[in-house]
Each structure stands twice: as C-alpha cells, then as structure tokens.
Amino acid sequence: MAKATMKAVKCPTDELSLTNRAIVSDKDFDEKTVSHVEINTSPGKSFVFTIKTYPRMTPGTMGFNLPQRKWAFISLSQELAVKPVKFNPRTDSIGTITLEVDFLQQRMANSDPYDSDKMAQEFLMQFANQAFTVDQFLAFSFAEKKMMGVYVKEVEVNDFTQMKDGAPMSKKANMGVLSPNTVVLFEKAENSTLHLTGKAKTKQAHTSIINPDWNFQKMGIGGLDNEFSAIFRRAFASRVFPPEVIEQLGMKHVKGILLFGPPGNGKTLMARQIGNMLNAREPKIVNGPQILDKFVGESEAKIRNLFKDAEEEEKRCGMHSGLHIIIFDEIDSICKSRGSVAGNTGVHDTVVNQLLAKIDGVEQLNNILVIGMTNRKDMIDEALLRPGRLEVQMEIGLPDEKGRNQILHIHTTTMRENNKLAPDVNIPELAVLTKNFSGAEIEGLVRSAQSTAMNRLIKADSKVEVDPEAMDKLCVTKTDFIHALENDIKPAFGSSKEEFEKYVSNGIINWGEPVSRVLEDGNLLIAQTKASQTTPLVTVLLEGPPGSGKTSLAATIAKNSDFPFIKICSPENMIGFTETAKCQAIKKIFDDAYKSPLSCIIVDDIERLLGKILVTKYWHTELKSNTSILC
C-alpha cells in the first residue's frame, strides 16, 4: 500500500488500546511489511503511528484511543491521508527516552512508591518496536492496571554509522523507534503526587538551599561565625545536595535546632534572618505564649496548623518539596517538662505531645526545620531534645573580641557612610573595652553614644531648642562612647568594679615576704587560668587571722587579672537569706561565670557559707570555662 485515505474511528477494543498503536484491518496492511504509518490530519500536520492489525476491524478505517486522538487532533469519522513509513535501525533506534509521568485520572492518585526500574522494564515490554515522537501523549498501564499518562519529553537516537570509542554516537531527535536496549527515564510531572523510586528516573533541576549572595554583615549578625559553621554542618549541609543523593544514602535531614544562651546574644536575630539566607518558604514565626489557648484542644490545633502546609507539599512533591521553617521564640513557655506544671488541665503536656508527634511521629515529615529559642534549656522536656527532633543544640554565648568588633562595625556602618562617626573612634579599641558585653548591650552602647552626641546640640532652658546647624554638626566621637561605657551601659555578666573599690581603696602595703609571695603566686595562678587547657578550674585558699588583708589581697589579684568577669561572693550580701536563697545566689554567680570565657570569683568568709553545696555541686559540675576561685 503506497498511500490511502482512511476514516478515523474509535479503537474497537480496550485491550488493544493499551498498546497505544493505531488499529487497522489486516486487509489494509500486512504487519510483516508495514509497521509504521504517517498520518496527515490537516495541512502541515503529520504524525507517525505504529500499527496493529485486528481481524474484526472494518477495512478502510483506522482505530485510535482517546489519548491518541487528543495528541494528533483527530476527530471521529475524519478522513486521514495515510502512507507507510520505514525507520532505519542503524540511525533511528532510540538510545534514551525521557518520559514525564502522572496518574491518568486523579481518583487513581495515591502516595504509594513506584519503582521506576520496574516501570522501565514494563514500558519496554508493552511498547516494543513502537515509534515515539517528542510531545506525544499516551496511556501506560502499570502496577495492577493503574493507568498513567505519559508525555514524551525528550528522545535521543543512536547513530551506528558514527562510532566513538566502540559506542554509537547519540543525538537528539524528534522521533525514533524503541529498542530492547533503550534507556527509559521517568520524570514526575509538576505538582504530581506520584512518588518515584529507583534509578530509572531523571535528576530534576536542583536549586541550592543557600542563597548565593547572603552576607552576615548585611543581615546585621556579628560574632556568630563559629556557631553558624556548626549549625550549617549539622542542619544544612545535607540540604545542599540533590535529593537523589540523599535518597541513595538513606539519610534524613535534621528537623530541629535549639538555640539557647543568655539574653541579647542574637538568638532571635539569627532565627529571624535565617529565612533570608535560605531558598525556602516564608518562615512561620511563633511566640511561644501565643500557642496557649483557654479553649480545650485549640492549642493543639494551632500546632497542627503550623505543619499543615508542609504536609500538603510533602504529599504532592515528595522529596522535591521545598523547606518549611517554623520558628518558636521562647519555646520553654510551651514545652516544659511534662508533669512539671501544676493543675488538672494538662495543656502544656498535650501541646508537647502534639509537637513531638508532628516533628517525629508516625507520619513524619522530611521537609521541615523547627528552630526553637530559649534562655532556659533546663525547663524543656527531654523528649524534645533527642536526635530526630531538636537534635542540633547550639549555645549562643557572649561574643569574643573578634565578634564584638564585627557587631560594632555593623552598628556603626550607617554613621560611617554618612560621615557622622568621628575619626578618633577606634572600633578595635572599643571591642577590647566591651568585655562580656552581649550583642544587645553593644547596640545599646552605640545608641547611648548617639544620644550623648545629640544632647550636645540641644539647649534645654524654659523650652527645648535644637541647634539649626545640627544636621552638619552632629558627629559621634570617642568621648561619647567612653561616657556611655562609664555611665550608661553596664554588662549583665561584667565585673563588680564598684564593689572592688572598697576592698582596695587603701592599697596594699608590702611589709614582707608573705605578702610578696601571695601576690606572686596569685599572678602565676591567673596566668595558668588564662593559658592552660588542661586545668580549666584553678582554686586557691588564703588563710589567716581576721583583719590581716586576705580579702584585699584577693581583690588586688582579681583586679590585676583583667578578666572580663570578676565577682565577689560574700555572706555580707546574703544577710537574712534562707538556705534555699543562699544556694540560688551562689548558683547564679557560678552560672554567670560559666557564660564568660574567663572569670574570677572571690568567695569571702567561706566558712560562713554552705561549703558542701558550693564545693561539691558547683565547682565540679557547673564550671566548664577557665575560672579562678580565690577563697
């Protein structure tokens, strides 16, 4: 048959329609001589079909199933121009075919995994030796007759007339014929709920989770380089790699981070800006107390609503789902240890249970990152801190000198750019003077210096007048910063300089060898505390009769140490305290000392304090930083 006109009809049998071939009468075509035909549906529109003969097919007609008619724009009873087509097996055999696949009908959709390797084998068997064209749409039956819609996205043919290193050259083509050696790759359609597994699937374009242009300075974060490096390694490194690599490792992403530490060190700022650093959905920021509700079940419902969007996208996109970030500020307010809150409502306990179930329950999600922030890690339920939940626990401590330098640069950048910062302001020098300052206290220091500078240009008589040339005259100087340091801003974990003055106001009279030896040994112990890595806790006991100068010597040694944290623990300050209050006061001093990289504590009149509690509990369990204790 050279060329003929045939009438389009419905495919006469559902069974044969699954092969996605054009059905013809055996009186019109001989399958042994003609396998493929080209059909002209309209001027300039031609499509290639593989044919299948059927004895009961009316001669002069050609049967098509619904996907075929949609793809080739064929109407029933339409007259079609048909001619045979021959493919050259040396140049037209498909080497690789990429197929976009989805459920043919949404009612068939489910979240079961489908093995793409088995799908590829089934596809080669069902469509052996058939011709395929780019943009062709067809029906594919797999896994207990589940009907899937398949869209031909890309075709590469092997050219055996051109060989390289013993293998045929491959090139993209508009059509080709499926061969037993064809590599079939499946790609999930956009927004499909189909879950593909196995190796016979394409690697979809992967967008890095980290924005390429993020910058800590622009984000207003300073002094947290080491902390962020640790968080990135634990929480974000796995999300940089394509999902296929993570699947091959059988790995699950980190789902939770807990940031804890003293107030004002950047926990909330870091969590707030983390959404700008990541290519993720808009973070959901929740203040802990907002979750609690007076109506039964409403608190738990609020927790479920936070994870609702992530659940829907996980079902729809699987491992290609975007990252959903949920930030809990003051998480200790809703996640207290279960059973620790008095009352019979049990609201806190059920909120903790609901949060645990959502983060790492039976139907766990792999596209979430929960960030919790607190000053009281000890109050949080232990179940929330285990691996699989808030497993990355990072202490955001007081910034070191380098960190303080960064923070000061951040808060003075705008002034510097507008020439409002005097040349005599030395940022590295201020970083040295602000020992044990938190990030918030450094910001307050800059704000206080600005206020002092502005106050010079205000005349406060019977009425407040501003210098008309204030715009040009306003400039923050070194004197303004020194004034703020000495009078306005004091670090919460700093030295008690005023308290020390009364002990060393009259100086030390070096009357002989005992005084010299105490001062020399004290300086050696201070040097050991600064330099040694094997003895982080250094202690010394000064003994002698009352009024001999023990406290003055200890205060002098501590003052000369220039440690950022120096405190005196004296029973004079605890007059009228109960035993519990004394323990709490002592504990607070040692807890504050732990937050500083270098600290010195003077315990005056130690025999009047509860020595057992002080020595056994706090000296040996709480202090982990370099600390010197003078008693």
Side-chain angles (χ1 to χ4, degrees):
M1 179 179 176
K3 190 171 184 180
T5 301
M6 305 186 73
K7 183 184 293 186
V9 297
K10 286 184 178 181
C11 191
T13 169
D14 291 336
E15 183 180 355
L16 288 175
S17 70
L18 298 181
T19 63
N20 284 275
R21 301 189 184 198
I23 308 302
V24 297
S25 171
D26 54 359
K27 295 179 181 180
D28 290 328
F29 292 95
D30 183 0
E31 266 190 82
K32 295 180 180 180
T33 57
V34 179
S35 300
H36 315 284
V37 294
E38 181 182 342
I39 299 173
N40 292 99
T41 57
S42 61
K45 294 279 187 181
S46 61
F47 302 89
V48 174
F49 286 89
T50 303
I51 61 172
K52 175 73 174 179
T53 58
Y54 188 57
R56 288 186 288 176
M57 192 71 182
T58 303
T61 61
M62 185 173 287
F64 302 94
N65 61 24
L66 182 60
Q68 289 172 328
R69 297 199 301 273
K70 285 185 175 181
W71 168 59
F73 307 102
I74 298 173
S75 302
L76 295 178
S77 301
Q78 180 180 353
E79 296 292 334
L80 305 172
V82 181
K83 68 174 183 180
V85 175
K86 283 191 176 182
F87 286 96
N88 187 345
R90 293 176 58 82
T91 58
D92 298 324
S93 294
I94 299 177
T96 303
I97 184 170
T98 304
L99 307 171
E100 192 176 87
V101 61
D102 194 5
F103 294 106
L104 192 60
Q105 297 176 345
Q106 287 304 313
R107 61 183 176 83
M108 300 179 180
N110 57 64
S111 58
D112 297 336
Y114 287 84
D115 191 332
S116 58
D117 298 326
K118 293 182 179 179
M119 288 174 63
Q121 295 175 6
E122 183 67 24
F123 189 88
L124 289 173
M125 288 189 290
Q126 282 190 31
F127 302 103
N129 301 318
Q130 287 197 33
F132 288 95
T133 308
V134 174
D135 295 335
Q136 182 176 350
F137 183 77
L138 58 146
F140 172 46
S141 175
F142 179 73
E144 300 177 355
K145 304 299 179 182
K146 288 284 186 185
M147 292 296 294
M148 296 185 182
V150 176
Y151 170 78
V152 181
K153 192 171 183 179
E154 190 175 281
V155 171
E156 288 186 6
V157 296
N158 290 330
D159 188 352
F160 288 90
T161 62
Q162 301 181 35
M163 306 292 287
K164 183 178 181 180
D165 298 331
M169 298 285 288
S170 62
K171 60 181 180 181
K172 291 185 178 180
N174 186 52
M175 65 178 66
V177 178
L178 205 67
S179 72
N181 296 321
T182 298
V183 176
V184 181
L185 297 178
F186 288 97
E187 180 178 309
K188 185 179 68 171
E190 187 177 359
N191 297 327
S192 172
T193 58
L194 183 66
H195 183 199
L196 293 177
T197 61
K199 299 178 181 179
K201 58 180 181 177
T202 61
K203 296 180 180 180
Q204 297 181 350
H206 174 67
T207 304
S208 175
I209 191 70
I210 307 295
N211 278 330
D213 57 347
W214 69 274
N215 184 286
F216 266 153
Q217 299 289 329
K218 294 179 181 178
M219 294 163 64
I221 299 176
L224 296 176
D225 294 351
N226 295 333
E227 288 81 356
F228 177 76
S229 296
I231 291 174
F232 180 85
R233 176 179 60 83
R234 292 291 311 279
F236 299 137
S238 64
R239 298 184 185 274
V240 173
F241 288 88
E244 290 80 6
V245 176
I246 304 303
E247 186 182 32
Q248 292 171 9
L249 293 174
M251 181 181 181
K252 293 180 181 178
H253 297 300
V254 167
K255 300 175 187 176
I257 302 173
L258 180 68
L259 305 178
F260 66 96
N265 285 326
K267 300 185 297 296
T268 304
L269 177 62
M270 190 174 188
R272 189 188 306 128
Q273 295 289 353
I274 206 166
N276 299 327
M277 183 187 69
L278 302 178
N279 285 319
R281 305 295 180 266
E282 186 70 21
K284 296 181 179 179
I285 302 177
V286 184
N287 293 320
Q290 291 178 350
I291 295 295
L292 301 178
D293 197 287
K294 64 180 180 179
F295 295 106
V296 176
E298 284 299 315
S299 299
E300 297 87 329
K302 290 179 180 179
I303 294 290
R304 290 193 294 270
N305 287 334
L306 291 174
F307 293 85
K308 185 177 180 181
D309 294 340
E311 289 176 339
E312 291 178 353
E313 188 167 346
E314 175 90 356
K315 291 178 181 178
R316 190 174 69 249
C317 302
M319 65 179 179
H320 294 284
S321 169
L323 177 63
H324 292 255
I325 301 174
I326 303 172
I327 299 173
F328 287 95
D329 200 3
E330 305 299 341
I331 193 172
D332 55 280
S333 63
I334 61 171
C335 293
K336 292 183 175 65
S337 297
R338 285 169 288 184
S340 64
V341 180
N344 57 2
T345 59
V347 174
H348 284 85
D349 292 0
T350 55
V351 169
V352 174
N353 293 337
Q354 183 67 78
L355 188 59
L356 294 175
K358 284 298 179 184
I359 297 177
D360 191 33
V362 177
E363 296 180 356
Q364 55 185 324
L365 302 173
N366 204 31
N367 63 340
I368 58 170
L369 179 64
V370 177
I371 303 176
M373 295 166 290
T374 181
N375 304 325
R376 298 293 306 275
K377 180 186 173 185
D378 56 297
M379 295 179 63
I380 297 178
D381 192 274
E382 292 182 356
L384 201 62
L385 303 180
R386 73 157 176 79
R389 291 164 183 170
L390 300 183
E391 64 177 278
V392 179
Q393 297 158 29
M394 184 60 56
E395 181 175 9
I396 309 298
L398 297 171
D400 56 12
E401 185 176 328
K402 179 183 176 183
R404 296 194 298 272
N405 200 330
Q406 291 178 356
I407 297 170
L408 283 165
H409 268 289
I410 289 171
H411 292 300
T412 57
T413 297
T414 305
M415 290 190 292
R416 194 179 302 108
E417 291 173 350
N418 294 284
N419 296 321
K420 297 299 180 185
L421 192 67
D424 64 344
V425 177
N426 190 326
I427 298 298
E429 182 182 344
L430 288 175
V432 174
L433 295 175
T434 52
K435 293 177 181 176
N436 269 28
F437 273 62
S438 66
E441 288 165 345
I442 293 175
E443 183 181 5
L445 175 71
V446 174
R447 193 161 48 243
S448 176
Q450 292 168 338
S451 300
T452 304
M454 287 188 291
N455 190 61
R456 288 199 302 269
L457 303 174
I458 299 175
K459 298 177 182 178
D461 296 327
S462 57
K463 61 179 180 178
V464 177
E465 295 180 358
V466 179
D467 190 332
E469 299 179 358
M471 182 70 72
D472 299 325
K473 292 183 178 179
L474 183 60
C475 186
V476 182
T477 65
K478 178 181 178 180
T479 306
D480 298 325
F481 279 97
I482 299 300
H483 181 272
L485 274 170
E486 294 178 350
N487 301 283
D488 297 334
I489 307 298
K490 301 294 180 183
F493 305 101
S495 303
S496 303
K497 291 183 179 179
E498 296 81 2
E499 196 173 358
F500 272 77
E501 292 299 328
K502 65 180 181 182
Y503 294 110
V504 296
S505 57
N506 297 322
I508 297 293
I509 300 174
N510 194 341
W511 52 265
E513 189 269 338
V515 176
S516 300
R517 180 168 52 82
V518 169
L519 292 174
E520 289 176 3
D521 291 348
N523 291 332
L524 285 174
L525 292 172
I526 292 298
Q528 179 183 353
T529 305
K530 288 182 178 179
S532 177
Q533 297 297 323
T534 57
T535 55
L537 179 64
V538 178
T539 60
V540 59
L541 177 66
L542 302 181
E543 61 173 331
S548 58
K550 301 184 296 299
T551 305
S552 296
L553 285 170
T556 302
I557 294 170
K559 191 174 180 181
N560 293 338
S561 70
D562 200 28
F563 280 5
F565 183 93
I566 304 174
K567 291 286 184 181
I568 295 180
C569 180
S570 173
E572 292 180 3
N573 300 329
M574 303 182 191
I575 295 175
F577 281 24
T578 63
E579 296 299 309
T580 303
K582 288 181 182 178
C583 293
Q584 290 298 325
I586 296 171
K587 182 178 185 300
K588 185 179 187 311
I589 293 174
F590 279 78
D591 284 345
D592 291 349
Y594 163 65
K595 294 179 174 68
S596 177
L598 286 170
S599 56
C600 181
I601 302 173
I602 296 177
V603 183
D604 197 17
D605 290 336
I606 189 172
E607 70 277 3
R608 292 170 58 188
L609 296 173
L610 296 178
K612 290 184 179 180
I613 295 178
L614 181 64
V615 174
T616 60
K617 184 173 182 181
Y618 300 117
W619 287 15
H620 297 290
T621 63
E622 294 292 331
L623 290 173
K624 302 174 185 177
S625 58
N626 286 2
T627 305
S628 178
I629 301 177
L630 307 177
C631 302

